């Protein structure tokens, strides 16, 4: 993490003085073996002060000089001290600080070592992939959806502009499944898929006859979902949802459903331990210091 040598009392958006900017730029290029993008280097230099201030505000304990100001050291190809640090464990200090900040958020939990990778391997019985449900609180939707995608899952619709989801209140207001699907077709862009949330086999039958693109089997039993998939018989994509977590996802995948949706990915995710305390040396690499 780089920053210019300036007091914390200075503006958080300050940049290096021009005389140092050029050497900062040249040193960073050299440190990256001249393979880094010049635009990215410029952004990094100009935003470094702000990034350091953000970390300090979160409680990151960077080293200080005798005046209480940030201390800086040289690193890589840098020609002068401009690197904030914490003892010999700067990376751990930053990740620990960021993890603590995440833990303080009331609506964020992190899943670790869940079974979703098994679902994505497309083993027999699972035709497609795993999707994130979006019925939970959506105040952090962009971040939650990005986290799911990075973790190997696939996002459900981002909002109502990308797909139509007909739930029980929509169906009741329209006067039935067929009327709700017809109204959606009449108003939605032709590129939008129309999904119908069904609670029983009668609704599944109506959704199939109405030409729904996707039929969600919501909170059904295992036997009910099996019967529904047989009834649909490939005439629409199928998605199961409701109380889906790592404990029951394998049994659901074995049904042959196209998609499995789980809001638990975000609203019930536990804390991820980033302490790196689990790292151990490989048996055949103890002399080289390679960790696994």
């Amino acid at each position: 993490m780089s920053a210019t040598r300036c007091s914390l009392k200075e503006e958080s958006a300050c940049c290096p003085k021009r005389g140092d900017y050029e050497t900062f730029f040249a040193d960073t290029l050299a440190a990256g073996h001249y393979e880094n993008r010049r635009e990215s280097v410029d952004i990094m230099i100009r935003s470094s002060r702000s990034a350091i201030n953000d970390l300090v505000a979160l409680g990151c304990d960077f080293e200080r000089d005798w005046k209480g100001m940030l201390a800086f050291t040289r690193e890589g190809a840098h020609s002068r001290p401009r690197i904030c640090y914490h003892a010999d464990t700067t990376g751990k200090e930053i990740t620990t600080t960021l993890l603590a900040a995440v833990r303080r958020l009331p609506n964020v939990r992190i899943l670790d070592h869940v079974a979703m990778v098994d679902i994505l391997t497309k083993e027999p019985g699972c035709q497609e992939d795993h999707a994130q449900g979006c019925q939970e609180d959506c105040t952090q939707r962009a971040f939650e959806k990005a986290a799911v995608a990075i973790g190997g899952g696939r996002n459900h619709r981002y909002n109502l502009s990308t797909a139509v989801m007909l739930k029980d209140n929509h169906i009741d207001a329209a006067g039935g499944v067929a009327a709700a699907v017809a109204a959606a077709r009449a108003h939605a862009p032709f590129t939008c898929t129309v999904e119908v949330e069904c609670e029983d086999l009668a609704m599944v039958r109506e959704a199939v006859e109405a030409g729904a693109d996707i039929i969600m089997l919501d909170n059904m039993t295992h036997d009910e979902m099996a019967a529904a998939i047989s009834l649909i018989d490939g005439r629409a994509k199928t998605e199961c949802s409701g109380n889906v977590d790592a404990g029951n996802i394998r049994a659901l995948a074995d049904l042959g459903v196209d998609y499995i949706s789980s809001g638990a990915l975000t609203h019930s995710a536990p804390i991820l331990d980033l302490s790196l305390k689990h790292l151990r040396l490989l048996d055949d690499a103890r002399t080289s210091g390679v960790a696994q």
Side-chain angles (χ1 to χ4, degrees):
M1 184 65 67
S2 301
T4 59
R5 183 165 190 141
C6 55
S7 167
L8 290 177
K9 295 181 180 180
E10 293 184 271
E11 295 181 0
S12 62
C14 70
C15 297
K17 295 180 180 179
R18 180 162 185 80
D20 187 48
Y21 176 88
E22 295 176 356
T23 57
F24 199 156
F25 196 95
D27 291 349
T28 305
L29 288 178
H33 303 287
Y34 300 96
E35 296 179 355
N36 28 18
R37 294 177 67 248
R38 300 177 71 88
E39 297 86 350
S40 299
V41 173
D42 177 72
I43 293 172
M44 185 276 295
I45 292 174
R46 295 184 185 280
S47 62
S48 59
R49 180 70 258 173
S50 177
I52 291 296
N53 281 1
D54 288 343
L55 288 170
V56 170
L58 289 173
C60 200
D61 187 22
F62 292 120
E63 300 295 327
R64 305 284 179 149
D65 61 20
W66 65 275
K67 295 181 179 179
M69 296 182 179
L70 288 175
F72 296 87
T73 186
R74 287 179 57 183
E75 187 174 300
H78 284 275
S79 59
R80 65 181 65 179
R82 55 168 70 94
I83 309 299
C84 288
Y85 66 100
H86 173 86
D88 291 326
T89 56
T90 307
K92 180 179 179 181
E93 174 65 17
I94 292 174
T95 55
T96 300
T97 299
L98 293 176
L99 178 59
V102 171
R103 283 175 172 162
R104 291 193 294 268
L105 296 174
N107 60 338
V108 174
R109 299 177 70 192
I110 305 172
L111 280 176
D112 184 25
H113 303 300
V114 295
M116 306 312 164
V117 173
D118 296 333
I119 301 303
L120 290 168
T121 57
K122 294 183 183 254
E123 295 179 7
C126 182
Q127 302 173 14
E128 290 292 340
D129 54 10
H130 176 273
Q132 170 207 19
C134 59
Q135 298 175 14
E136 62 274 13
D137 173 53
C138 294
T139 56
Q140 300 291 327
R141 174 175 286 172
F143 301 106
E144 291 172 346
K145 287 185 175 293
V148 169
I150 292 171
R154 181 173 297 186
N155 296 149
H156 210 289
R157 74 191 194 283
Y158 187 81
N159 55 39
L160 292 177
S161 69
T162 55
V164 175
M165 168 71 80
L166 297 176
K167 301 173 71 68
D168 54 356
N169 55 327
H170 308 127
I171 293 169
D172 290 344
V177 173
V181 172
R185 296 287 189 203
H187 293 86
F190 73 93
T191 54
C192 274
T193 57
V194 175
E195 181 169 4
V196 179
E197 183 179 278
C198 296
E199 300 173 354
D200 53 44
L201 291 180
M203 292 184 69
V204 170
R205 186 175 292 104
E206 290 183 66
V208 171
E209 294 174 354
D213 299 303
I214 307 172
I215 297 176
M216 176 184 285
L217 312 177
D218 188 45
N219 288 302
M220 292 185 181
T221 67
H222 191 278
D223 290 342
E224 287 173 337
M225 284 189 284
I229 292 171
S230 177
L231 175 61
I232 295 167
D233 193 25
R235 289 176 287 176
K237 292 292 186 181
T238 55
E239 175 182 351
C240 66
S241 178
N243 301 310
V244 176
D245 57 30
N248 60 10
I249 195 169
R250 171 53 61 193
L252 296 175
D254 291 342
L255 281 167
V257 67
D258 293 303
Y259 303 100
I260 301 175
S261 181
S262 175
L265 276 176
T266 50
H267 66 60
S268 299
I271 294 298
L272 172 64
D273 183 4
L274 295 177
S275 66
L276 304 183
K277 293 179 180 179
H278 66 286
L279 294 180
R280 298 292 184 272
L281 291 176
L282 295 170
D283 292 337
D284 58 348
R286 292 185 181 279
T287 57
S288 64
V290 178
Q292 63 180 356

